[in-house]
Tab-separated table of all heavy atoms in Angstrom:
chain	number	residue	atom	x	y	z
C	9	ASN	N	9.299	18.342	-10.884
C	9	ASN	CA	8.153	18.143	-10.013
C	9	ASN	C	6.977	18.901	-10.569
C	9	ASN	O	6.956	20.129	-10.501
C	9	ASN	CB	8.484	18.629	-8.574
C	9	ASN	CG	7.290	18.588	-7.650
C	9	ASN	OD1	6.301	17.903	-7.944
C	9	ASN	ND2	7.360	19.316	-6.552
C	11	LYS	N	3.950	18.938	-9.596
C	11	LYS	CA	2.943	19.308	-8.597
C	11	LYS	C	1.557	18.917	-9.111
C	11	LYS	O	1.421	17.956	-9.872
C	11	LYS	CB	3.061	20.779	-8.235
C	11	LYS	CG	4.490	21.238	-7.917
C	11	LYS	CD	4.569	22.546	-7.246
C	11	LYS	CE	6.019	22.979	-7.235
C	11	LYS	NZ	6.262	23.929	-6.158
C	92	LEU	N	9.318	11.362	-4.529
C	92	LEU	CA	9.688	12.457	-3.634
C	92	LEU	C	9.230	12.098	-2.235
C	92	LEU	O	8.189	11.435	-2.064
C	92	LEU	CB	8.969	13.753	-4.050
C	92	LEU	CG	9.255	14.293	-5.467
C	92	LEU	CD1	8.512	15.628	-5.669
C	92	LEU	CD2	10.749	14.462	-5.720
C	95	HIS	N	8.477	16.640	0.584
C	95	HIS	CA	8.500	17.938	-0.060
C	95	HIS	C	7.917	19.008	0.875
C	95	HIS	O	7.002	18.734	1.648
C	95	HIS	CB	7.678	17.893	-1.357
C	95	HIS	CG	7.819	19.124	-2.214
C	95	HIS	ND1	7.118	20.251	-1.969
C	95	HIS	CD2	8.621	19.377	-3.268
C	95	HIS	CE1	7.456	21.176	-2.862
C	95	HIS	NE2	8.386	20.678	-3.654
C	96	SER	N	8.417	20.199	0.820
C	96	SER	CA	8.016	21.238	1.789
C	96	SER	C	6.504	21.517	1.720
C	96	SER	O	5.903	21.869	2.718
C	96	SER	CB	8.790	22.519	1.570
C	96	SER	OG	8.393	23.144	0.410
C	97	GLU	N	5.886	21.322	0.538
C	97	GLU	CA	4.420	21.526	0.447
C	97	GLU	C	3.704	20.429	1.236
C	97	GLU	O	2.642	20.671	1.803
C	97	GLU	CB	3.996	21.605	-0.999
C	97	GLU	CG	4.385	22.921	-1.616
C	97	GLU	CD	4.649	22.932	-3.110
C	97	GLU	OE1	4.196	21.990	-3.797
C	97	GLU	OE2	5.291	23.894	-3.611
C	126	CYS	N	13.411	15.588	0.520
C	126	CYS	CA	13.503	17.067	0.403
C	126	CYS	C	13.649	17.653	1.819
C	126	CYS	O	12.923	17.287	2.721
C	126	CYS	CB	12.230	17.601	-0.197
C	126	CYS	SG	11.881	16.903	-1.806
C	168	GLU	N	15.875	22.258	-0.654
C	168	GLU	CA	14.938	23.250	-1.244
C	168	GLU	C	14.576	24.259	-0.178
C	168	GLU	O	13.669	24.028	0.634
C	168	GLU	CB	13.710	22.503	-1.691
C	168	GLU	CG	13.921	21.454	-2.741
C	168	GLU	CD	12.663	21.217	-3.544
C	168	GLU	OE1	11.686	20.771	-2.980
C	168	GLU	OE2	12.706	21.508	-4.737
C	172	ALA	N	12.308	29.841	-1.455
C	172	ALA	CA	12.720	29.937	-2.870
C	172	ALA	C	11.759	29.150	-3.766
C	172	ALA	O	11.870	29.183	-4.990
C	172	ALA	CB	14.138	29.480	-3.048
C	173	ILE	N	10.851	28.354	-3.169
C	173	ILE	CA	10.010	27.475	-3.968
C	173	ILE	C	8.780	28.234	-4.515
C	173	ILE	O	7.991	28.768	-3.767
C	173	ILE	CB	9.538	26.250	-3.153
C	173	ILE	CG1	10.744	25.435	-2.721
C	173	ILE	CG2	8.566	25.399	-3.959
C	173	ILE	CD1	10.422	24.198	-1.905
C	174	GLY	N	8.719	28.309	-5.818
C	174	GLY	CA	7.590	28.954	-6.509
C	174	GLY	C	7.492	30.443	-6.302
C	174	GLY	O	6.492	31.076	-6.565
C	175	THR	N	8.574	31.068	-5.778
C	175	THR	CA	8.519	32.493	-5.442
C	175	THR	C	9.316	33.337	-6.454
C	175	THR	O	9.188	34.553	-6.439
C	175	THR	CB	9.150	32.750	-4.081
C	175	THR	OG1	10.517	32.262	-4.100
C	175	THR	CG2	8.417	32.052	-2.981
C	176	GLY	N	10.131	32.685	-7.252
C	176	GLY	CA	11.002	33.432	-8.140
C	176	GLY	C	12.303	33.809	-7.458
C	176	GLY	O	13.246	34.275	-8.102
C	177	LEU	N	12.364	33.657	-6.129
C	177	LEU	CA	13.627	33.933	-5.393
C	177	LEU	C	14.480	32.649	-5.472
C	177	LEU	O	13.949	31.558	-5.370
C	177	LEU	CB	13.351	34.196	-3.931
C	177	LEU	CG	12.493	35.392	-3.615
C	177	LEU	CD1	12.168	35.424	-2.118
C	177	LEU	CD2	13.242	36.676	-3.997
C	210	TYR	N	19.566	20.806	-5.884
C	210	TYR	CA	19.061	22.059	-5.395
C	210	TYR	C	17.667	22.305	-5.988
C	210	TYR	O	17.467	22.074	-7.195
C	210	TYR	CB	20.009	23.227	-5.758
C	210	TYR	CG	19.290	24.529	-5.462
C	210	TYR	CD1	19.210	25.049	-4.154
C	210	TYR	CD2	18.605	25.239	-6.497
C	210	TYR	CE1	18.510	26.155	-3.882
C	210	TYR	CE2	17.880	26.388	-6.206
C	210	TYR	CZ	17.823	26.836	-4.912
C	210	TYR	OH	17.090	27.982	-4.608
C	211	GLY	N	16.726	22.804	-5.177
C	211	GLY	CA	15.448	23.173	-5.732
C	211	GLY	C	14.964	24.480	-5.127
C	211	GLY	O	15.216	24.816	-3.976
C	212	GLY	N	14.317	25.254	-6.007
C	212	GLY	CA	13.811	26.585	-5.583
C	212	GLY	C	13.994	27.564	-6.717
C	212	GLY	O	15.061	28.135	-6.860
C	213	SER	N	12.952	27.664	-7.562
C	213	SER	CA	12.950	28.590	-8.681
C	213	SER	C	14.159	28.429	-9.634
C	213	SER	O	14.733	29.421	-10.077
C	213	SER	CB	12.877	30.035	-8.169
C	213	SER	OG	11.662	30.208	-7.467
C	214	VAL	N	14.520	27.165	-9.848
C	214	VAL	CA	15.576	26.907	-10.895
C	214	VAL	C	15.025	27.242	-12.245
C	214	VAL	O	13.879	26.840	-12.613
C	214	VAL	CB	16.078	25.427	-10.839
C	214	VAL	CG1	17.062	25.193	-11.983
C	214	VAL	CG2	16.718	25.109	-9.491
C	215	LYS	N	15.810	27.993	-13.012
C	215	LYS	CA	15.395	28.368	-14.387
C	215	LYS	C	16.683	28.305	-15.252
C	215	LYS	O	17.777	28.198	-14.718
C	215	LYS	CB	14.895	29.822	-14.435
C	215	LYS	CG	13.688	30.013	-13.579
C	215	LYS	CD	13.161	31.450	-13.754
C	215	LYS	CE	11.943	31.699	-12.875
C	215	LYS	NZ	12.132	31.435	-11.498
C	232	LEU	N	16.040	19.999	-8.639
C	232	LEU	CA	14.661	19.630	-8.571
C	232	LEU	C	13.869	20.842	-8.996
C	232	LEU	O	13.896	21.866	-8.311
C	232	LEU	CB	14.282	19.150	-7.163
C	232	LEU	CG	12.814	18.723	-6.925
C	232	LEU	CD1	12.398	17.632	-7.892
C	232	LEU	CD2	12.621	18.192	-5.499
C	233	VAL	N	13.194	20.736	-10.127
C	233	VAL	CA	12.628	21.888	-10.816
C	233	VAL	C	11.132	21.807	-10.763
C	233	VAL	O	10.547	20.802	-11.194
C	233	VAL	CB	13.101	21.908	-12.268
C	233	VAL	CG1	12.639	23.177	-12.978
C	233	VAL	CG2	14.621	21.771	-12.381
C	234	GLY	N	10.431	22.818	-10.260
C	234	GLY	CA	8.986	22.871	-10.248
C	234	GLY	C	8.422	23.495	-11.480
C	234	GLY	O	8.384	22.880	-12.546
C	235	GLY	N	8.036	24.740	-11.348
C	235	GLY	CA	7.356	25.482	-12.451
C	235	GLY	C	8.034	25.312	-13.817
C	235	GLY	O	7.343	25.022	-14.821
C	236	ALA	N	9.319	25.437	-13.868
C	236	ALA	CA	10.041	25.430	-15.170
C	236	ALA	C	10.026	24.026	-15.806
C	236	ALA	O	10.414	23.879	-16.973
C	236	ALA	CB	11.448	25.896	-14.980
C	237	SER	N	9.641	22.966	-15.041
C	237	SER	CA	9.633	21.637	-15.662
C	237	SER	C	8.389	21.381	-16.474
C	237	SER	O	8.237	20.359	-17.116
C	237	SER	CB	9.780	20.552	-14.559
C	237	SER	OG	8.594	20.508	-13.759
I	1	PEP	C1	9.595	22.298	-6.244
I	1	PEP	O1	8.403	22.168	-6.440
I	1	PEP	O2	10.235	21.412	-5.699
I	1	PEP	C2	10.226	23.549	-6.697
I	1	PEP	C3	11.488	23.734	-6.452
I	1	PEP	O3	9.412	24.454	-7.377
I	1	PEP	P1	9.866	25.754	-8.191
I	1	PEP	O4	11.004	25.338	-9.096
I	1	PEP	O5	8.663	26.172	-8.962
I	1	PEP	O6	10.332	26.770	-7.194
Side-chain angles (χ1 to χ4, degrees):
N9 174 17
K11 311 194 191 205
L92 301 182
H95 189 278
S96 69
E97 286 152 17
C126 304
E168 300 205 297
I173 297 180
T175 58
L177 299 172
Y210 168 79
S213 299
V214 174
K215 299 185 181 56
L232 179 54
V233 185
S237 69

